[in-house]
Amino acid sequence: MPWTRDDMAARAAKELRDGYYVNLGIGIPTLVSNYIPAGMSVQLQSENGMLGMGPFPYEGEEDPDLINAGKQTITQLPTSSFFSSADSFAMIRGGHIDLSILGAMQVAQNGDLANWMIPGKMVKGMGGAMDLVAGVKRVVVVMEHVAKNKDGSEDAKLLKSCTLPLTGARVVDMVVTDLGVFSIDRRGDAGMALIELAPGVTLDEIKAKTQAEFRVALEQSAAA
C-alpha cells in the first residue's frame, strides 16, 4: 500500500539530524514538524522571518500574527527569534540552513527541480524556493509519485528531463514519494537510485510510473 501524506512526512523526518537548521516548504513538508524524533534539537526556519517554530496550535488558540511562509498559524517557543524577511533570506543565501524539505511538480534524474509554476496557469509568485535550493546544503523533495489528471490519467513526475520551468538545476539530493525513496547524485554521474520501497509497492509498479532512469539500490530487507 502506498504511503499516506503522514507516512511520507515521517520518512522525510528520518533525514533530520540533531542541531540542524531546517526549512520546510508548504504542503506535505509542513507535516515533517510532527515527526521530529524525541530528544532531537532541530530549529525550524521560515522565510517570513522566524527561527524556532513550535507546533501547530490547538483550535481556538491560534494567533493570526504567528504564521509560517505558507500562511498557516503556528506557535512560538521560549527560544524562538524574529527578524525581517531580508535577514531570513540572508540566512538562506549565506548557506546557514542545513536542510530544506520541499514539494515539487517535477524532478529530473540529474536533480533538476521544477516546483514554482505551470505555464498558462495563475502564479502567486515564485516564493523562496529558488533561494532555498541555491543556498541550502541539502534538499529533500516530498511529493506524490505521479500527477493525476481530471480525466483519470496520470503523468510521471520523476522524469529524464523536466518539462516545466526550472526552480534550480542539479539541486535535489533525495525524493520521497508515496511509492518509495530515491537518492540523487546531483554532483556526480551516478544519477538516481531507488533505495527504498513503500510497504506493498513492487519494483514493477515503480518502473511503470517513473520516466526517469534509475538504478536499484534497495537493501535486502526492503527488496525482499
Side-chain angles (χ1 to χ4, degrees):
M1 177 181 293
W3 279 325
T4 64
R5 291 165 59 92
D6 282 289
D7 292 333
M8 294 158 64
R11 176 57 185 85
K14 293 183 179 180
E15 302 306 308
L16 302 174
R17 298 293 182 269
D18 196 51
Y20 264 18
Y21 290 85
V22 180
N23 184 287
L24 301 178
I26 61 175
I28 300 174
T30 61
L31 300 174
V32 172
S33 61
N34 296 330
Y35 297 97
I36 298 174
M40 179 179 289
S41 175
V42 172
Q43 298 295 321
L44 300 180
Q45 188 258 15
S46 181
E47 298 100 298
N48 59 326
M50 185 175 181
L51 181 66
M53 290 186 289
F56 291 114
Y58 291 108
E59 186 175 353
E61 298 180 2
E62 301 91 344
D63 182 343
D65 290 325
L66 284 176
I67 59 173
N68 60 20
K71 307 299 187 291
Q72 296 169 305
T73 53
I74 52 176
T75 60
Q76 62 179 321
L77 303 171
T79 55
S80 297
S81 57
F82 302 89
F83 34 84
S84 72
S85 59
D87 289 331
S88 179
F89 277 95
M91 186 182 300
I92 292 168
R93 294 167 183 168
H96 303 292
I97 304 300
D98 298 290
L99 175 67
S100 180
I101 302 178
L102 302 170
M105 298 170 186
Q106 294 178 343
V107 176
Q109 62 194 38
N110 66 346
D112 289 353
L113 170 68
N115 82 336
W116 76 279
M117 75 168 293
I118 298 176
K121 293 192 176 183
M122 184 178 294
V123 180
K124 295 182 179 179
M126 65 184 66
M130 290 183 178
D131 292 278
L132 286 166
V133 298
V136 172
K137 297 171 185 175
R138 190 162 185 262
V139 173
V140 173
V141 165
V142 182
M143 67 178 189
E144 301 290 340
H145 199 90
V146 296
K148 297 178 175 62
N149 301 313
K150 291 182 179 179
D151 61 4
S153 63
E154 296 179 340
D155 293 326
K157 296 175 69 173
L158 289 174
L159 307 172
K160 293 180 180 179
S161 298
C162 293
T163 59
L164 296 175
L166 292 186
T167 305
R170 287 185 173 268
V171 294
V172 178
D173 297 283
M174 175 177 282
V175 181
V176 179
T177 79
D178 52 327
L179 302 184
V181 182
F182 296 80
S183 65
I184 300 178
D185 179 25
R186 62 183 174 93
R187 295 184 176 89
D189 299 319
M192 180 180 286
L194 175 64
I195 61 173
E196 188 174 338
L197 287 171
V201 174
T202 65
L203 183 56
D204 286 340
E205 182 178 359
I206 287 270
K207 289 180 177 179
K209 296 184 177 183
T210 306
Q211 185 204 92
E213 296 178 357
F214 63 90
R215 56 191 173 85
V216 177
L218 298 171
E219 296 181 2
Q220 287 300 114
S221 58

